[in-house]
Amino acid sequence: MPHPCGAPRERGARALTGGRYRLGVDIGGTFTDVVLLGDDGALRRKKVLSTPDDYARGVVDGAVALLAESNVEPGLVDTVVHATTVASNAVLEGKGAKTALITTQGFRDVLEMRRLRIPVLYDLQYVKPAPLVPRRRRFEVPERMGPKGDVRVALDEEAVKRVAGALADDGVEALAISMLHAYANPEHELRAAEIVRETVGDGLFITCSSDVLPEIREYERTSTAVVNAYLGPTVRGYLSSLLDALRGAGLTAPLQIMQSSGGIMSPEAAIERPALLLESGPAAGVVACAHLASQVAEDNMITLDMGGTTAKAALLENRRPVKTTEYEVGAGINLSSKLIKGGGYAIRLPFIDISEIGAGGGSLVSVDEFGITTVGPESAGADPGPVCYDLGGESPTLTDTFVSLGYVKPESIAGGAVKLNAAKAREALQEQVADPLGKPLLEAAYGVYELAIATMTRAVKAVTTYRGRDPRDFTLACFGGNGAVTGAAIARVLNIPRVLVPPAPGVFSAAGLLVSDIEHEFTRTPFLRGDAISAAALERDYDALEEQARVALVDEGFRAETITLSRSAEMRYSGQAYELSVAVKDDDIDVARMIADFNAEHERTYGHASDSDPVDVVSVKVLGRVEAARASALLTSDQGGRASGTRAAYFGEEHGVLETPVIGRGDLAGTTREGPLLIDEYDATCVVPPGCRASLDALGNIVIDVERSA
């Protein structure tokens, strides 16, 4: 009998074997990136335009084209790993399922009440986002659990049956069930789900809050359950369609899906918990940087991923991504998960902490009637795309600016797959930007470039200076189709001394899919206060969670001996509202050590700590992981081709137009070159401004030593 909440899991799914070829596919706002990794460590890559009308078509078309170019039969692919924007797009575009909510009597309006937070403090016209479930589809039923899991009011099963009938009559596609204190005892939620399923049938997608987030805070738990339910039918339909399309193309290898936390999971698990996919694509790039950091022995790194729609920044400390469980989806530009709240729908699940700005290659450039210039967040996307793509776009974009400044090769990109019309790009910028500003074309275009740099600098600050980290202590790793164009300029503004551009920067996120581990996280909320914290009580909870993790991963087809488990605890001072995460040693729980580690983390995060105040353990967590097969030199063996010639490029009033050498990555081998330089590659261009120096390290990464600003 399937679990009453969520989708049933397919048992015995085939595990990763690290065999002959692994295929990674990452959907972006403009391009879909496909990479193929063989046993020899060689990475093959392909960029195709995304297909927003049917993303699965672009995925399969790109995969089939790359396999054909590489002379690889589809049957030789052992694993397909995929990062998708389907979940985030469903929320941003309001195209999720018709969803209902069942909750405890008296808690119908928790989605309306939210938290007392708004993203713009002094905006009197601010309107909070409408709940994903309108009030008419939010139902109360009599029941009540206590915070320790004791039944205070029995579940009114007849009331649940009446609600189930209403759901059937209304044609509801998805249901969230979130009852008070279900984290302590899920009995009423599970029984309500059974009753609804008996009445409505198995076609209804059901999410129980106790399954997706068994933690305190009814708003966050309810919101997370609602988002998960809202996404369920959409993600289920997309993944089913994608699997059919892949099989139709002869790709019968098991499919794995990237999570927002940086781990990957099976399609069955993704269908059950689709909210874990909301930052699927951006997470892959950060995971790739973590792998890169270990190869180049860089402990601390800022990652900058600039694609066609957005620029995303994240932080690596001790070679590991900084993570958060405080996230909002649908909030537009996400400057910082911890600093800007109230603009979207709360989700309390593990995410790599990514700051996102609406500034990508496709970002629209405009000048209003007051002469104010803006770059993004609106984007031309893949259809019609930038003006220079010559596919019908009429509004200039940041890519058109790059082409006009001479930074990007004016004839074509993506190895010639996308032909460019540079004259049309210059014409659009002249008419819609330069003329309204009363400035020469190049001066106006460089102003747009500097505005974009300033915007992206905010994203980097959000993960560094806004959190007490000094960017001068980090290396900036730039990737994405446009990251290498802007990376050195951003580093100069923030006095970051060193920029790293990995091989294949334009498909780096897709390559990150191939070095991601299988991960599942499980949590409980024991809520132990002060003297009540005992090693024995914690051990019981951890043992139960570890068993859950083992069962889940074995069900996905992995051998028990390949599974590693790690423990953590969410802790706070008694009376505080929010927790900090602390790692817990697996072999022997030492409560005094946990408290000492919490005090150290509190000092590090907030600048102060107290050894005398009592500490609470709010929740405990276990992460189950199966390590992916990795090529030891992934992304670092290809030094790229060579090139020659020059291109006229504009570097601001100080330098003007310079006839700039155009080289290939391989031309940097064994030497250091002074800027300005333009390093053209298949999937990106690296701009080395005047005053900077570029070289190639032993692993094929471009290293830019940045001249510091005054």
Side-chain angles (χ1 to χ4, degrees):
M1 176 177 168
H3 192 290
C5 292
R9 280 202 180 126
E10 180 180 311
R11 302 179 69 90
R14 187 176 164 203
L16 293 174
T17 62
R20 295 156 292 180
Y21 292 95
R22 303 181 71 204
L23 188 72
V25 187
D26 178 28
I27 298 176
T30 304
F31 286 99
T32 292
D33 300 333
V34 189
V35 294
L36 184 69
L37 179 67
D39 279 341
D40 57 358
L43 189 77
R44 300 158 178 89
R45 49 190 159 160
K46 181 77 174 177
K47 292 180 80 74
V48 297
L49 287 172
S50 296
T51 51
D53 59 313
D54 179 10
Y55 283 115
R57 176 165 54 86
V59 170
V60 174
D61 289 350
V64 169
L66 179 58
L67 289 172
E69 291 174 8
S70 305
N71 295 317
V72 174
E73 292 295 326
L76 295 177
V77 175
D78 283 347
T79 306
V80 179
V81 191
H82 180 38
T84 176
T85 59
V86 168
S88 57
N89 287 345
V91 178
L92 292 171
E93 298 170 7
K95 295 181 179 179
K98 186 176 183 179
T99 306
L101 169 68
I102 294 178
T103 189
T104 303
Q105 191 171 47
F107 287 82
R108 181 184 188 184
D109 294 318
V110 70
L111 293 178
E112 298 275 9
M113 298 172 69
R114 301 161 59 91
R115 296 287 179 192
L116 190 59
R117 293 171 171 174
I118 59 174
V120 185
L121 186 58
Y122 300 108
D123 185 356
L124 300 179
Q125 280 72 49
Y126 173 73
V127 178
K128 62 186 178 184
L132 295 176
V133 180
R135 199 170 195 272
R136 67 181 181 277
R137 291 205 298 270
R138 303 200 297 262
F139 302 93
E140 298 178 346
V141 296
E143 71 87 35
R144 180 64 67 97
M145 288 287 180
K148 296 296 184 183
D150 52 309
V151 179
R152 297 188 177 178
V153 177
L155 176 67
D156 187 336
E157 296 194 0
E158 291 302 316
V160 177
K161 291 177 182 178
R162 289 192 294 270
V163 171
L167 298 178
D169 293 341
D170 197 21
V172 167
E173 302 169 296
L175 171 67
I177 302 175
S178 181
M179 294 176 173
L180 190 65
H181 300 310
Y183 60 86
N185 185 346
E187 178 184 331
H188 287 175
E189 283 193 351
L190 299 180
R191 178 57 186 148
E194 288 177 347
I195 293 170
V196 171
R197 203 175 291 283
E198 289 167 1
T199 304
V200 179
D202 290 335
L204 182 68
F205 187 94
I206 300 178
T207 294
C208 290
S209 75
S210 53
D211 274 349
V212 71
L213 183 66
E215 295 184 18
I216 62 169
R217 297 192 182 92
E218 53 270 16
Y219 166 59
E220 284 81 0
R221 185 159 46 84
T222 301
S223 180
T224 302
V226 165
V227 170
N228 197 76
Y230 183 78
L231 295 173
T234 300
V235 170
R236 179 172 58 192
Y238 169 72
L239 291 180
S240 298
S241 170
L242 177 61
L243 281 166
D244 289 343
L246 289 171
R247 288 165 182 157
L251 285 162
T252 58
L255 176 66
Q256 297 288 344
I257 310 298
M258 170 61 70
Q259 304 177 51
S260 305
S261 64
I264 52 178
M265 59 183 176
S266 69
E268 295 76 28
I271 289 171
E272 187 175 328
R273 301 179 75 185
L276 290 170
L277 308 186
L278 284 161
E279 287 292 339
S280 175
V286 184
V287 170
C289 279
H291 184 67
L292 177 64
S294 67
Q295 291 184 313
V296 299
E298 286 280 353
D299 289 339
N300 300 322
M301 189 177 283
I302 301 166
T303 74
L304 179 70
D305 177 5
M306 184 183 178
T309 306
T310 59
K312 299 162 283 283
L315 205 64
L316 301 177
E317 292 185 308
N318 297 317
R319 306 179 190 178
R320 298 185 67 84
V322 174
K323 295 187 179 182
T324 182
T325 56
E326 298 179 46
Y327 190 80
E328 290 186 357
V329 64
I333 296 174
N334 172 33
L335 255 187
S336 169
S337 63
K338 292 180 173 65
L339 297 175
I340 295 181
K341 289 291 189 179
Y345 307 106
I347 303 175
R348 192 168 167 81
L349 292 172
F351 282 73
I352 291 178
D353 202 357
I354 295 172
S355 174
E356 190 166 0
I357 290 284
S363 294
L364 298 177
V365 181
S366 62
V367 180
D368 67 15
E369 64 269 30
F370 303 107
I372 297 175
T373 306
T374 57
V375 180
E378 293 80 12
S379 173
D383 184 13
V387 175
C388 62
Y389 286 10
D390 216 0
L391 297 175
E394 297 180 352
S395 299
T397 67
L398 200 50
T399 292
D400 297 308
T401 303
F402 294 158
V403 171
S404 299
L405 288 170
Y407 296 164
V408 172
K409 187 165 57 175
E411 297 84 16
S412 64
I413 56 176
V418 179
K419 304 298 182 183
L420 300 184
N421 188 331
K424 187 172 283 190
R426 289 191 288 267
E427 181 181 337
L429 274 170
Q430 182 72 55
E431 293 178 355
Q432 299 179 47
V433 179
D435 288 348
L437 292 175
K439 292 183 177 294
L441 173 62
L442 289 178
E443 187 177 329
Y446 195 77
V448 169
Y449 176 73
E450 289 188 309
L451 180 58
I453 295 299
T455 303
M456 288 182 283
T457 298
R458 292 171 62 206
V460 176
K461 284 183 175 180
V463 297
T464 54
T465 55
Y466 295 175
R467 303 178 193 174
R469 308 301 197 269
D470 189 339
R472 294 173 296 183
D473 298 333
F474 291 78
T475 292
L476 180 65
C478 299
F479 55 98
N482 297 294
V485 177
T486 59
I490 293 170
R492 177 173 283 168
V493 171
L494 294 173
N495 282 322
I496 298 172
R498 192 164 179 255
V499 174
L500 209 62
V501 181
V507 297
F508 193 61
S509 286
L513 297 168
L514 305 181
V515 294
S516 299
D517 297 329
I518 309 293
E519 288 186 357
H520 289 290
E521 185 176 86
F522 299 86
T523 184
R524 281 191 173 190
T525 302
F527 211 141
L528 303 174
R529 291 181 177 272
D531 294 339
I533 303 174
S534 72
L538 290 171
E539 191 64 56
R540 285 193 296 271
D541 284 325
Y542 280 124
D543 287 346
L545 291 174
E546 287 173 349
E547 181 60 23
Q548 280 184 262
R550 290 190 190 94
V551 169
L553 288 166
V554 169
D555 280 355
E556 288 194 23
F558 299 101
R559 299 188 309 277
E561 61 270 20
T562 66
I563 299 170
T564 60
L565 303 169
S566 57
R567 298 173 172 182
S568 63
E570 300 289 313
M571 303 174 67
R572 69 187 189 190
Y573 291 121
S574 295
Q576 283 187 325
Y578 290 93
E579 301 80 47
L580 291 173
S581 183
V582 175
V584 178
K585 290 185 177 180
D586 298 342
D587 52 353
D588 184 24
I589 294 178
D590 184 337
V591 175
R593 169 54 57 187
M594 290 174 61
I595 293 173
D597 289 345
F598 166 75
N599 285 329
E601 182 63 26
H602 200 280
E603 173 77 31
R604 184 166 181 266
T605 302
Y606 299 114
H608 63 90
S610 173
D611 294 334
S612 58
D613 287 335
V615 174
D616 300 337
V617 174
V618 177
S619 60
V620 295
K621 299 185 178 185
V622 166
L623 181 68
R625 178 186 288 116
V626 175
E627 210 171 89
R630 297 183 177 94
S632 60
L634 176 61
L635 301 183
T636 57
S637 57
D638 177 17
Q639 294 187 3
R642 297 177 180 268
S644 61
T646 62
R647 188 158 66 236
Y650 183 76
F651 291 97
E653 289 186 20
E654 181 182 354
H655 301 284
V657 176
L658 299 177
E659 201 61 34
T660 305
V662 178
I663 64 174
R665 182 179 294 252
D667 292 310
L668 288 174
T671 186
T672 297
R673 299 281 296 268
E674 297 286 337
L677 295 170
L678 298 172
I679 305 169
D680 280 348
E681 301 190 84
Y682 164 79
D683 50 358
T685 293
C686 178
V687 176
V688 183
C692 297
R693 297 183 305 278
S695 59
L696 207 65
D697 69 13
L699 298 173
N701 303 292
I702 297 172
V703 180
I704 303 175
D705 293 314
V706 179
E707 177 187 63
R708 299 203 174 198
S709 60

